[in-house]
Amino acid sequence: MSRATALALAALIAAAPLSTAQAQARVTTDVFGLGASAVVGLGQDRDRRGGNDRDQDGPRLMSEAQALSIAQRRAGGARFVGSLGLRGTTYVFRFERDGQIIDIAVDARGG
């Protein structure tokens, strides 16, 4: 690449407000001589997938604090003893009432 080409490329990149990924892709495509047409479809894959990358990881789970709040309502005044954590998609909390141990499960998917 000649000095003039490098300077022209740097000026084009500096003049165009792009995200970091698009700027890197543009530099890469221009260096390999593919031109601007290779850059056109950069953001379109995300749109075709339906948006957020999290959607493909499965349903969003509620936080342990939210699940504990639900479990405390279900426990009806029993004393909170501890959490057994997330088991699959279910939070399990342990309560005690009148010497009896009560385990309350809350579906983390919110259903």
Side-chain angles (χ1 to χ4, degrees):
M1 181 179 338
S2 71
R3 176 184 262 178
T5 306
L7 290 174
L9 183 60
L12 284 173
I13 292 171
L18 299 173
S19 72
T20 304
Q22 287 176 326
Q24 288 172 347
R26 178 167 288 189
V27 170
T28 303
T29 56
D30 285 345
V31 167
F32 291 115
L34 298 175
S37 64
V39 180
V40 171
L42 275 178
Q44 294 173 354
D45 286 341
R46 179 181 205 110
D47 296 336
R48 268 188 247 126
R49 286 194 313 249
N52 205 339
D53 289 336
R54 271 192 208 148
D55 295 341
Q56 296 185 5
D57 294 337
R60 193 159 183 210
L61 302 178
M62 72 173 68
S63 71
E64 187 170 5
Q66 290 171 313
L68 176 58
S69 177
I70 293 168
Q72 286 174 326
R73 285 195 302 267
R74 291 180 185 172
R79 184 176 66 89
F80 176 69
V81 176
S83 171
L84 301 176
L86 186 63
R87 312 273 175 140
T89 59
T90 304
Y91 286 105
V92 180
F93 301 98
R94 187 159 280 174
F95 294 86
E96 183 269 328
R97 178 184 303 142
D98 301 326
Q100 296 271 352
I101 298 295
I102 304 165
D103 287 342
I104 297 180
V106 178
D107 188 352
R109 294 172 292 191

